[in-house]
Amino acid sequence: MKLEELKHPGLKKWIEEAVSLMSPNAVEVCDGTQSEYDRMIKALLDAGLATPLNAEKRPNCFLFRSDPSDVARVENRTYIASKSQDDAGPTNNWIDPAELKKTMTGLYSGCMKGRTMYVIPFSMGPVGSDIAKIGMEITDSPYVVANMHIMTRVGTKVLDVLGSDGFYVPCFHSVGKPLAEGEEDNGKWPCAPIEDKYISHFPETREIWSYGSGYGGNALLGKKCLALRIASVLARDEGWLAEHMLILKITSPQGEVKYVTGAFPSACGKTNLAMLVPTLPGWKVETVGDDIAWMKFGADGRLYAINPEAGFFGVAPGTNDDSNKNAMESIKKNTIFTNCGLTEDGDIWWEQIGHGAPGKEIIDWKGQKKPAPQTDKSPKGEEIAHANARFTAPARQCPVIASEWEDPKGVPISAFLFGGRRPSTIPLVNQSKGWIHGVFMGSITGSEVTAAVISDQVGQIRRDPFAMLPFCGYHMGDYFKHWIKLGQKAEAEGNGDKLPKIFFVNWFRKDKDGKFMWPGYSENSRVLAWIFERCDNKANYMETPIGNLPKPGAIEAPAGISADTMEELCSVDIEGWKKEIADVRQNHYPKFGDKLPKELYAELDAIEKRLNG
Ligand code: O2Y
Ligand code: MN
């Protein structure tokens, strides 16, 4: 589509200003069609950036290799540029917005020379849904356009809903690598050096400016930047919730349906849980979303959730037929792979894919030929796929996608789950005593840092409240307050009983020999069934100082798990909890200063008193 055809004068002016700043060779407004997607792929093939996979094994699938300096979200280059530093809070990087815009305007000046500027109209959420929001991403990366086609709803249908004066979140993106006359990418992933990368958010003006990275969350601006960082600010101001949560549909053997959402920090198996195959007879679990939930109260006082995304941007290593059969099915066609290995027969491969690589040689994520691994493991430091290698696949291809996953009114939520990778202390499942206790649970969420992340904190618990630490667009103390206020409002309106029940789960408890006590994966369906029944005040439970836990026998033990182990998993470690409370009081809550809601300190005092009582 041509610029002249746009019906929104504000949008046209914004694009014209971007063109004059960034000096692209050409401008294209994306229409979202299959032929446009195919054109992007062709441009990427011609530039030597895409490798087609074996069309018989993986039709319409392509592999990309990014620059080794551009392989993941860059949290230390991600900024919340609110007018006041206090509004960004202690957990976000902050730069004064005027100063940051000056620096970035300098970088954007002429940044698209030799490239085409694409304007991507995209909807986060079903087009036209009351809960959805429109974004407009300007980018010079056809890789971003192709990924946005999968991850969001793109094109003319979005412009139709926008009309001539609709609201959109303006998003600038450039890989930061202009081309000189006659220069081509020639197989080299374009990006800027780390010190020039900026992933910037301007919460007051609802703008996103990204420069220098072409990878994932840094470049696909609908995902973490819009759907979490900017949306969390919109949600605070408009009275709804934008959360880093999966959405599940659970059907009981009696055919009753409930929807639950769950927030888990990275490396806790969120996508696997979202696509779980239950072992519990008669139960069915289906996927509504695997990463983000937007929730608004309906006229009936219940909270309704949509998945703002249309695809999965999942971690490849570790995904196999045992850990996530449904993800493996979802990526059989029409999928973009990034930083995976390439086998001799033109297929992808990664560590823990479930089998060795065929043939004699394999090409690793850096493009180097290596001996083909005989098993699905590689020695540390010699991995074939990057640890953050990804697949981008359409959600509609998931065999267990729920039929209502695109319902514009969303699905009514019965429960929130919070969870983390906690080797000790935290029980298998714990129901909060009420809303504020549930907010307390969310606020102390944390996870053991695993060797999957390069960090000097491996083995330590890193607090990641509501799994939103890298994604909250404002002060987290105010974010906790927002959660408390929503509950109080619902109570005041007589809808307290319609609020989702809140649970904390932990699949990762270890015994004294360091072995996992709970098998996880499909067996988590046993815990989901208990949660499902607790939402109706059924299922046996016992009141404890830390919350309501399953009574012995309330969750049937999976094969190979003894009654003693079940009892340990579902009991209160009083001494461990005293240490937990002390850590929250001394090290965690003080970070939020006087913005930490007094209700949460009161909850901390009450739990401590019960533990001592
Ligand atoms: O590394 C990236 O750019 C992707 S991060 C990501 C992708 C999908 C879902 N969640 C995440 C995350 O970091 O939470
Ligand atoms: Mn995520």
Side-chain angles (χ1 to χ4, degrees):
M1 185 195 262
K2 298 259 180 315
L3 207 51
E4 303 72 67
E5 293 170 54
L6 289 174
K7 295 195 188 85
H8 191 299
L11 171 61
K12 222 161 125 185
K13 184 162 172 277
W14 175 69
I15 299 169
E16 281 160 1
E17 283 167 5
V19 170
S20 115
L21 174 65
M22 299 174 186
S23 316
N25 274 10
V27 184
E28 265 186 48
V29 180
C30 298
D31 60 15
T33 56
Q34 181 64 41
S35 65
E36 177 175 87
Y37 181 88
D38 296 342
R39 250 187 322 108
M40 295 304 122
I41 296 290
K42 168 131 190 355
L44 291 157
L45 287 166
D46 292 347
L49 293 167
T51 304
L53 296 177
N54 183 325
E56 271 163 34
K57 288 180 177 260
R58 260 174 232 278
N60 199 28
C61 290
F62 299 88
L63 172 67
F64 291 82
R65 295 187 196 99
S66 75
D67 188 89
S69 71
D70 199 23
V71 291
R73 289 188 294 105
V74 279
E75 285 182 18
N76 60 346
R77 306 294 307 170
T78 299
Y79 299 92
I80 301 296
S82 42
K83 283 188 193 141
S84 151
Q85 180 163 10
D86 196 40
D87 287 340
T91 56
N92 283 310
N93 298 314
W94 179 85
I95 302 181
D96 172 76
E99 185 190 325
L100 183 55
K101 281 198 168 173
K102 193 169 166 217
T103 306
M104 291 191 71
T105 301
L107 292 166
Y108 280 137
S109 177
C111 69
M112 293 192 185
K113 277 188 187 151
R115 299 189 185 275
T116 298
M117 172 189 280
Y118 302 98
V119 182
I120 315 173
F122 64 96
S123 175
M124 297 312 291
V127 179
S129 158
D130 280 349
I131 315 180
K133 297 277 180 201
I134 290 176
M136 209 59 70
E137 178 163 352
I138 280 181
T139 181
D140 51 7
S141 164
Y143 170 84
V144 165
V145 178
N147 275 270
M148 288 292 282
H149 264 241
I150 298 175
M151 293 304 296
T152 71
R153 286 105 176 153
V154 166
T156 321
K157 54 188 186 267
V158 179
L159 290 173
D160 291 344
V161 170
L162 187 69
S164 58
D165 61 355
F167 167 78
Y168 64 92
V169 175
C171 313
F172 280 162
H173 172 253
S174 170
V175 293
K177 177 75 185 73
L179 294 169
E181 190 75 41
E183 189 187 354
E184 287 174 13
D185 284 323
N186 233 342
K188 190 170 167 10
W189 174 271
C191 64
I194 186 74
E195 64 277 13
D196 283 344
K197 288 185 184 14
Y198 286 90
I199 320 300
S200 306
H201 307 75
F202 302 91
E204 284 99 357
T205 49
R206 284 62 163 124
E207 288 169 285
I208 300 164
W209 286 20
S210 166
Y211 183 89
S213 166
Y215 198 86
N218 304 328
L220 314 179
L221 300 185
K223 194 172 180 57
K224 303 298 183 181
C225 299
L226 195 163
L228 289 175
R229 297 196 191 96
I230 292 295
S232 61
V233 176
L234 296 173
R236 175 199 62 189
D237 295 349
E238 297 169 5
W240 52 282
L241 292 169
E243 299 301 326
H244 189 203
M245 289 181 172
L246 57 80
I247 312 171
L248 286 181
K249 175 184 180 184
I250 309 174
T251 308
S252 72
Q254 290 70 38
E256 203 195 323
V257 170
K258 287 191 199 307
Y259 302 91
V260 308
T261 64
F264 297 83
S266 308
C268 289
K270 208 164 142 201
T271 302
N272 299 343
L273 181 63
M275 298 179 193
L276 170 146
V277 180
T279 37
L280 211 53
W283 289 81
K284 194 163 150 193
V285 174
E286 291 162 279
T287 316
V288 178
D290 80 325
D291 195 36
I292 300 175
W294 282 0
M295 291 170 275
K296 266 191 186 165
F297 286 100
D300 61 358
R302 295 194 70 185
L303 203 51
Y304 285 78
I306 60 162
N307 170 7
E309 302 190 279
F312 307 123
F313 189 62
V315 180
T319 306
N320 58 54
D321 281 346
D322 291 329
S323 66
N324 197 337
K325 174 107 179 99
N326 289 314
M328 293 303 281
E329 289 295 320
S330 308
I331 60 176
K332 283 200 161 151
K333 57 185 179 186
N334 308 321
T335 298
I336 292 173
F337 295 92
T338 308
N339 290 343
C340 303
L342 176 66
T343 62
E344 271 182 6
D345 61 353
D347 202 0
I348 38 77
W349 189 91
W350 49 71
E351 280 66 26
Q352 289 168 273
I353 195 171
H355 52 79
K360 287 203 175 71
E361 289 184 322
I362 190 163
I363 301 177
D364 74 2
W365 71 276
K366 290 182 177 166
Q368 302 293 315
K369 273 197 180 154
K370 296 269 181 70
Q374 300 302 295
T375 69
D376 75 350
K377 299 192 178 47
S378 302
K380 205 165 167 32
E382 289 171 41
E383 287 83 1
I384 299 297
H386 187 275
N388 194 39
R390 297 272 167 174
F391 52 78
T392 321
R396 62 172 187 279
Q397 289 184 185
C398 178
V400 292
I401 197 78
S403 56
E404 57 277 62
W405 81 281
E406 298 204 89
D407 188 337
K409 71 175 188 321
V411 293
I413 299 303
S414 296
F416 294 136
L417 315 185
F418 295 111
R421 193 177 266 277
R422 297 296 306 263
S424 67
T425 312
I426 309 298
L428 181 62
V429 56
N430 177 12
Q431 181 180 4
S432 81
K433 289 172 182 286
W435 182 262
I436 294 181
H437 181 212
V439 176
F440 168 82
M441 284 178 169
S443 76
I444 68 163
T445 296
S447 205
E448 187 187 29
V449 179
T450 67
V453 181
I454 300 160
S455 167
D456 52 8
Q457 294 179 313
V458 171
Q460 290 176 34
I461 303 302
R462 184 160 63 192
R463 301 269 171 208
D464 184 353
F466 290 74
M468 280 290 278
L469 201 66
F471 306 122
C472 185
Y474 60 103
H475 196 301
M476 281 221 97
D478 289 333
Y479 167 91
F480 300 153
K481 188 79 207 166
H482 176 58
W483 266 81
I484 290 172
K485 280 207 300 215
L486 282 191
Q488 287 168 337
K489 185 164 175 281
E491 306 263 3
E493 289 167 355
N495 290 327
D497 59 334
K498 294 180 184 153
L499 284 168
K501 309 284 184 285
I502 305 179
F503 299 82
F504 203 101
V505 297
N506 178 24
W507 324 129
F508 299 96
R509 190 95 168 248
K510 288 183 180 163
D511 64 16
K512 57 182 180 351
D513 302 320
K515 283 216 182 92
F516 286 115
M517 294 167 74
W518 177 253
Y521 298 107
S522 295
E523 299 295 7
N524 294 339
S525 55
R526 293 169 195 276
V527 177
L528 294 180
W530 186 80
I531 289 170
F532 185 103
E533 289 178 351
R534 287 301 307 134
C535 289
D536 293 331
N537 283 320
K538 294 188 210 143
N540 282 333
Y541 74 99
M542 52 192 186
E543 286 192 32
T544 80
I546 59 163
N548 297 337
L549 269 55
K551 259 195 174 162
I555 296 180
E556 199 194 319
I561 304 296
S562 70
D564 283 355
T565 301
M566 282 307 289
E567 204 162 325
E568 198 182 336
L569 283 167
C570 300
S571 60
V572 185
D573 167 2
I574 299 273
E575 290 315 308
W577 267 95
K578 285 185 183 169
K579 285 194 194 123
E580 181 81 6
I581 294 294
D583 181 55
V584 171
R585 196 185 291 288
Q586 284 157 26
N587 304 316
H588 181 46
Y589 275 1
K591 285 185 279 206
F592 307 101
D594 57 11
K595 293 230 189 203
L596 198 285
K598 60 180 185 332
E599 290 88 344
L600 295 183
Y601 273 122
E603 207 58 52
L604 194 66
D605 292 342
I607 296 173
E608 188 167 45
K609 200 165 154 210
R610 293 197 293 267
L611 286 166
N612 286 325

